[in-house]
């Protein structure tokens, strides 16, 4: 769940992280001379796209807001615009707390350079401080952070306090990412979060009923909602794609996507059944019904099961197809526990069933490359 900047800064303020005065349009922050007008989108790189603009009077402010709302940004619709006071920055840093998948824990990330060019900064200037899952943020980490950033005195103390608050936010709110870019030092010695990028773990939503107050930026599609009813995860990828994949686990999903991409094939959507692929015929019917509405040419079902049973998944596939036949060609690759029996179950049902993944991928690529003639037949 990615928050727009205004919600991210509201969350920052809750944890005592200083932010500029700001409001969502049509409100305008009072007693402000110069404004920053920001298109609110749950994505990075707005500055390079022209989504952040500086204005000096209310007339120019209204004109800029209307431009965003009427024309959008980079082909995307802009529904919200955030207006805040312009601050005088003398130094910018990058500071974030993010989930480090390599170590399975949150880490503090910082660089001496912030702003829109932070992505091109050298990794040599990158500080990474893992947080202990039990003890969390430690003052020694704050001192090491400020030493790397070259900060001393009052400014260093403020940065340490912000780092501690950012860590507390990430832990308490179940954040996957809490990023300040830039963390700005102003002419009067203040340290302020000039931007906010926050991503909350959607799987932890049951612990946070107050999340309903955030602006919704990522509504699931009809396909994704339907797949969720089958206790699986659906992801729409490319509306121009003509292959849909149903796989056992996120790792298998990425591997299949890579293999198809290596053949320059566009994928319409993917469904993750989970690593155990413990799915019954009714759930498979729900998935196939949602799949059929996307009109793919080929449906590739792939599973490599070691603890689950290939034969049970094969039976769910056959039963699901009997209840909900697909217009698309169905290709199945199952390997692992019970795959001999699975091949027997799948045989004679109009499916392409293989143990060899390369063969199934190649067949799917061939189908995706076929074009319909004027009569609607596949050549």
């Amino acid at each position: 769940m990615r928050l727009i900047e205004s919600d991210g800064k509201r969350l920052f303020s809750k944890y005592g992280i200083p932010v500029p005065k700001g409001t969502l349009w049509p409100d305008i922050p009072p007693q402000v001379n110069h404004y920053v007008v920001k298109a609110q989108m749950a994505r990075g790189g707005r500055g390079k796209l022209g989504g952040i603009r500086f204005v000096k009077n209310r007339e120019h402010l209204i004109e800029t807001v209307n431009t965003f709302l009427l024309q959008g940004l980079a082909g995307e619709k802009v529904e919200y615009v955030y207006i805040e006071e312009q601050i005088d920055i003398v130094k910018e840093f990058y500071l974030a707390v993010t989930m480090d998948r390599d170590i399975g824990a949150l880490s503090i990330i910082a660089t001496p350079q912030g702003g829109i060019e932070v992505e091109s900064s050298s990794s040599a200037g990158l500080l990474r401080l893992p947080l202990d899952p039990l003890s969390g943020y430690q003052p020694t980490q704050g001192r090491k952070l400020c030493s790397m950033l070259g900060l001393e005195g009052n400014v260093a103390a403020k940065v340490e306090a912000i780092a501690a608050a950012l860590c507390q936010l990430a832990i308490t709110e179940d954040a996957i990412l809490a990023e300040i870019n830039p963390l700005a030092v102003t002419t009067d010695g203040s340290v302020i979060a000039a931007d906010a990028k926050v991503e909350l773990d959607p799987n932890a939503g049951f612990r946070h009923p107050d999340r309903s107050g955030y602006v919704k930026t990522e509504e699931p599609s009809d396909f994704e909602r339907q797949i969720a009813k089958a206790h699986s995860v659906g992801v729409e990828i490319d509306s121009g794609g003509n292959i849909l994949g149903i796989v056992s686990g996120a790792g298998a999903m990425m591997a299949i996507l890579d293999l198809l991409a290596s053949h320059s094939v566009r994928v319409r959507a993917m469904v993750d059944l989970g690593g155990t692929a413990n799915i019954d015929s009714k759930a498979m019917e729900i998935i196939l019904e949602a799949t059929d509405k996307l009109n793919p040419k080929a449906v590739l079902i792939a599973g490599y099961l070691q603890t689950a049973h290939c034969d049970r998944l094969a039976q769910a596939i056959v039963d699901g197809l009997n209840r909900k036949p697909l217009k698309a060609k169905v290709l199945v690759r199952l390997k692992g526990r019970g795959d001999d029996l699975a091949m027997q179950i799948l045989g004679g049902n109009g499916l392409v069933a293989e143990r060899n993944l390369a063969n199934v991928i190649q067949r799917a690529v061939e189908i995706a490359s076929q074009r319909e003639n004027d009569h609607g037949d596949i050549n």
Side-chain angles (χ1 to χ4, degrees):
M1 179 180 181
R2 295 174 183 168
L3 305 187
I4 61 173
E5 180 185 359
S6 61
D7 282 340
K9 284 186 171 174
R10 181 156 57 92
L11 195 56
F12 281 3
S13 295
K14 175 181 175 181
Y15 285 84
I17 299 172
V19 299
K21 296 177 185 177
T23 59
L24 275 178
W25 175 263
D27 293 332
I28 300 175
Q31 300 177 336
V32 173
N33 295 321
H34 296 163
Y35 306 94
V36 185
V37 184
K38 300 181 174 182
Q40 295 298 279
M41 306 168 73
R43 58 173 294 176
R46 288 176 305 165
K48 291 182 178 180
L49 296 173
I52 300 175
R53 302 182 187 181
F54 300 88
V55 301
K56 295 184 177 181
N57 56 61
R58 291 204 173 201
E59 181 179 350
H60 189 198
L61 167 66
I62 296 171
E63 178 185 330
T64 304
V65 169
N66 287 333
T67 298
F68 282 144
L69 294 177
L70 295 175
Q71 299 180 10
L73 182 67
E76 294 186 30
K77 184 178 180 181
V78 175
E79 297 186 15
Y80 302 94
V81 178
Y82 190 59
I83 303 165
E84 67 180 13
E85 66 174 332
Q86 183 176 341
I87 57 177
D88 297 320
I89 300 174
V90 296
K91 183 67 177 175
E92 295 181 342
F93 306 103
Y94 174 91
L95 178 64
V97 178
T98 185
M99 175 57 66
D100 189 330
R101 303 291 183 184
D102 292 335
I103 62 174
L106 292 169
S107 290
I108 300 171
I109 306 293
T111 69
Q113 298 83 30
I116 62 174
E117 300 299 334
V118 67
E119 295 89 349
S120 60
S121 300
S122 171
S123 60
L126 178 71
L127 178 69
R128 187 185 300 268
L129 298 172
L131 296 180
D132 187 284
L134 296 179
S135 58
Y137 173 84
Q138 297 298 307
T140 53
Q141 293 178 310
R143 292 193 288 271
K144 185 173 183 179
L145 166 67
C146 289
S147 175
M148 189 275 287
L149 296 177
L151 303 176
E152 297 177 342
N154 192 37
V155 171
K158 292 176 180 178
V159 170
E160 287 185 37
I162 290 173
L166 199 64
C167 290
Q168 189 60 49
L169 182 158
I171 294 169
T172 305
E173 302 291 337
D174 288 302
I176 300 170
L177 172 68
E179 176 187 278
I180 304 174
N181 182 34
L183 178 62
V185 180
T186 64
T187 52
D188 63 0
S190 299
V191 182
I192 298 177
D195 198 0
K197 185 177 180 181
V198 179
E199 184 173 352
L200 304 175
D201 185 352
N203 297 313
F206 68 94
R207 289 199 288 259
H208 305 280
D210 55 334
R211 285 186 182 178
S212 59
Y214 295 130
V215 171
K216 300 296 187 296
T217 58
E218 295 178 307
E219 291 293 333
S221 67
D222 290 340
F223 171 78
E224 291 164 346
R225 280 193 290 267
Q226 190 72 8
I227 297 301
K229 293 179 181 179
H231 304 291
S232 298
V233 177
V235 181
E236 290 202 59
I237 298 173
D238 185 345
S239 60
N242 51 23
I243 289 184
L244 189 144
I246 301 174
V247 300
S248 61
M253 179 186 292
M254 296 308 298
I256 296 297
L257 282 171
D258 285 346
L259 288 168
L260 292 173
S262 69
H263 290 85
S264 300
V265 170
R266 299 168 67 182
V267 178
R268 179 65 180 89
M270 296 292 286
V271 176
D272 179 7
L273 303 177
T276 60
N278 186 19
I279 189 166
D280 59 20
S281 301
K282 180 59 180 175
M284 182 59 72
E285 180 184 357
I286 294 172
I287 292 171
L288 294 176
E289 184 175 0
T291 294
D292 201 44
K293 291 178 181 178
L294 297 186
N295 294 314
K297 284 185 179 179
V299 174
L300 173 58
I301 305 176
Y304 183 77
L305 309 180
Q306 295 175 305
T307 56
H309 294 260
C310 291
D311 53 297
R312 292 178 185 173
L313 178 55
Q315 192 62 58
I317 293 169
V318 170
D319 291 344
L321 286 170
N322 286 335
R323 295 175 180 176
K324 178 56 189 176
L326 296 183
K327 298 185 291 289
K329 186 68 176 179
V330 180
L331 305 101
V332 184
R333 183 266 189 171
L334 296 180
K335 190 172 178 62
R337 187 178 182 185
D339 56 10
D340 286 335
L341 182 55
M343 291 298 104
Q344 295 176 28
I345 294 170
L346 293 169
N349 284 282
L351 306 172
V352 175
E354 285 263 8
R355 287 191 180 89
N356 188 298
L357 181 59
N359 292 345
V360 175
I361 292 289
Q362 185 58 45
R363 181 68 179 122
V365 170
E366 291 171 359
I367 294 172
S369 302
Q370 293 171 340
R371 297 182 178 179
E372 295 186 2
N373 62 24
D374 295 339
H375 301 287
D377 300 323
I378 300 296
N379 291 324

